[in-house]
Amino acid sequence: MEIVQKLTGPGGEFELREEDVLGTRLPVFAGRARSLGEVLARSASHGDRDYIVTASRRLSFAEHAAAVASMAKALRDDLGVEPGDRIAINAANSPEWIVSFWAAIAAGAVPVGYNAWWAPQEIEYALAHTDPKIVIADAKRAALISEDVLTVERDVPSLTGRYPAAELDVPDVAEDDPAIILYTSGTSGRPKGAVHSHRNLTSVIEYHRFNDAMMGAFGIDPASRRYLLALPLFHIASLHNLAVPRLATGTAVIMTEGAFDVDRVLGLVEKERVTNWGAVPTMAHRMMEHGDLSKYDLSSLTAFALASAPSSPAFKERLQAVFPPARGALVDSYGLTESCTAISVATPMDLAEAPGTLGRPNLGVQVEIRDAEGRPVPEGVEGEVCARSAYNMIGYWRDPEATDRTIGDRWLHTGDIGVMERGRLRLTTRRSDLIIRGGENIYPTEIENVLAEYPGLRECAVVGVPHQDLGQEVAAVVVFADAAPPAEELAAFARERLAYFKVPSRWQVTTEPLPRNATGKVLRKQVENEIS
């Protein structure tokens, strides 16, 4: 397309050129910022425009910059934070979450987003794993943490107002230094910390700025866009692809707080004239089940994207039938925590032409489908989806073996099985054992390892089974030699050790051994069929 070539070609605002990135030649944006601190310093120029808006509060770009400068000075001068220290954030969505993130960046630290739904045992693991100098938590999560914390409700407001005249003084960093750690579910039974660099995030910013420029080329003013943030900030969808790039572009983030409530969210969309919304299929399903939505003025909402979990063409058709903003504007995408942003995006035109597609690789992303020996296969042949770009994480925190397996050659080996069809990606199998419940990735191994600690349990298998609202729910088959406990006791045992969304909601307690093949591997598909 001529517009794309003009924007990304030599001398263009988003010129792409090859540079060495961690030993590999990759396409990079020539005009990118070289650190998140640089992005933060520029953001104050947006002045009194809205940055973060909730149902009851507004924070302008200038107010945000002042709050971040004050808190960063307090972190360094009063609390002894030094460059490279980790600062953990364990809290529900709030403006303070975002301010704390940017204050950590401004202090030269590495913010670490903890999953706000973790159980105490999971939190304790992460605390030992990332060894944060400071932990910031809201009151609900602070009560689950064994060490001292800074509270969102009391300490963050105090720190953001302590030095009102403070100026940003961000330490120098290298582009490929860690900028943030976000946890992703671990196939080996422990969550892994995906390390994203400054280059990763500034590249994502340029990708979103490029999309804004494309809107402008078609007569849409990107400065008028207002983005709904309704997913947790410890996910890349909300942090990397919304809160961070919108600080750079000077556009508003409209944040929902608390559990997802259709009326409250749509009321906020109407009141704040939201234009863009990225949702998980569970949110879309709840809207479809909610009833008449016509009482809300949703005319401002011109872009609606599905992310974080797969959805069928039939689901998309039903959504478009009852939710007008999805008609002609629905976008689907495919990405992982490790990929930092989407690997591919399906436009409304893609979905109309090829229902079920996940679209074409994003700008700057190379995709290969590979066979079991790691060799690229032709279009139309199934294989593992592998992606390479300047967006991909630099590795897993303190886990060189997993890093080498997953991205040792700078190609991200997703473990997903897919096929390229006329330049578009379609997944045929997600990572074999992965359960996706309401957009949250759950690996059965982690739950099975916890259940294995229950006295008297001989073996168990955890699988995902269909659920109308959540997409999948967690089911467990547990085998005892005799005297099997009631399911309620097993659920209570799991709740003490796992985030609530990982606790099986369906149980089959038996004395019959699990079905296995000739090599002793559990036949998970048979287990699924028996418990469904």
Side-chain angles (χ1 to χ4, degrees), residues 282 435-442 470 472-474 500-501:
T282 297
I435 302 168
I436 306 180
R437 178 194 182 278
E440 289 292 325
N441 289 354
I442 302 168
L470 299 168
Q472 287 183 297
E473 63 180 325
V474 182
Y500 82 92
F501 63 89

Side-chain angles (χ1 to χ4, degrees), residues 92-358:
N93 285 5
S94 69
E96 287 78 15
W97 204 113
I98 295 177
V99 170
S100 297
F101 165 81
W102 283 112
I105 294 292
V110 179
V112 186
Y114 284 6
N115 188 313
W117 295 326
W118 275 342
Q121 186 168 301
E122 295 166 301
I123 297 170
E124 290 299 319
Y125 168 76
L127 289 171
H129 183 229
T130 44
D131 189 25
K133 179 71 171 283
I134 300 287
V135 179
I136 299 169
D138 56 25
K140 180 177 179 180
R141 280 85 190 173
L144 304 177
I145 298 173
S146 61
E147 56 189 64
D148 292 338
V149 303
L150 299 178
T151 62
V152 164
E153 295 83 356
R154 182 186 66 252
D155 296 317
V156 173
S158 172
L159 297 176
T160 57
R162 183 172 297 179
Y163 299 106
E167 295 185 0
L168 286 171
D169 182 20
V170 185
D172 291 335
V173 295
E175 276 197 271
D176 295 311
D177 283 350
I180 183 169
I181 301 170
L182 290 184
Y183 276 91
T184 182
S185 297
T187 54
S188 62
R190 290 288 195 184
K192 296 195 288 291
V195 183
H196 300 142
S197 68
H198 288 267
R199 184 197 301 272
N200 293 155
L201 273 294
T202 58
S203 299
V204 171
I205 288 170
E206 290 304 289
Y207 165 66
H208 284 281
R209 288 186 63 244
F210 165 79
N211 287 338
D212 288 354
M214 289 292 291
M215 280 193 290
F218 287 98
I220 302 170
D221 178 13
S224 67
R225 312 307 280 169
R226 296 172 73 79
Y227 293 80
L228 187 71
L229 193 161
L231 299 172
L233 280 160
F234 52 79
H235 284 328
I236 62 167
S238 285
L239 185 61
H240 295 23
N241 292 277
L242 213 169
V244 168
R246 295 309 143 199
L247 187 85
T249 60
T251 33
V253 173
I254 314 301
M255 179 189 293
T256 66
E257 295 180 284
F260 181 78
D261 177 271
V262 173
D263 288 312
R264 188 166 64 237
V265 170
L266 294 186
L268 190 61
V269 169
E270 177 183 74
K271 176 187 174 187
E272 294 297 336
R273 307 300 295 161
V274 168
T275 61
N276 295 63
W277 180 5
V280 294
T282 297
M283 292 176 175
H285 180 265
R286 289 179 184 175
M287 285 194 296
M288 290 190 286
E289 296 293 308
H290 188 68
D292 184 19
L293 304 177
S294 63
K295 63 181 177 179
Y296 296 103
D297 178 6
L298 305 177
S299 58
S300 64
L301 194 57
T302 55
F304 187 83
L306 291 172
S308 299
S311 55
S312 67
F315 177 90
K316 295 183 179 76
E317 285 183 15
R318 293 198 305 273
L319 173 63
Q320 290 172 320
V322 301
F323 191 56
R327 296 173 197 160
L330 184 62
V331 172
D332 206 350
S333 63
Y334 166 65
L336 298 78
T337 301
E338 291 87 343
S339 66
C340 216
T341 191
I343 290 172
S344 65
V345 172
T347 66
M349 186 178 297
D350 289 326
L351 293 172
E353 292 180 3
T357 185
L358 289 167

Side-chain angles (χ1 to χ4, degrees), residues 16-38:
L16 280 173
R17 66 186 183 202
E18 277 203 354
E19 291 183 7
D20 184 83
V21 179
L22 298 174
T24 299
R25 300 291 291 180
L26 291 177
V28 299
F29 292 103
R32 69 195 180 278
R34 268 41 181 187
S35 72
L36 287 180
E38 188 178 320

Side-chain angles (χ1 to χ4, degrees), residues 414-457:
T414 68
D416 291 331
I417 306 301
V419 61
M420 295 298 292
E421 298 168 331
R422 300 180 66 183
R424 298 186 181 103
L425 175 65
R426 179 171 61 85
L427 289 193
T428 55
T429 310
R430 295 289 301 213
R431 280 153 286 178
S432 57
D433 297 338
L434 182 67
I435 302 168
I436 306 180
R437 178 194 182 278
E440 289 292 325
N441 289 354
I442 302 168
Y443 280 95
T445 304
E446 181 181 7
I447 304 169
E448 291 166 353
N449 287 349
V450 166
L451 295 179
E453 299 173 7
Y454 193 93
L457 185 139

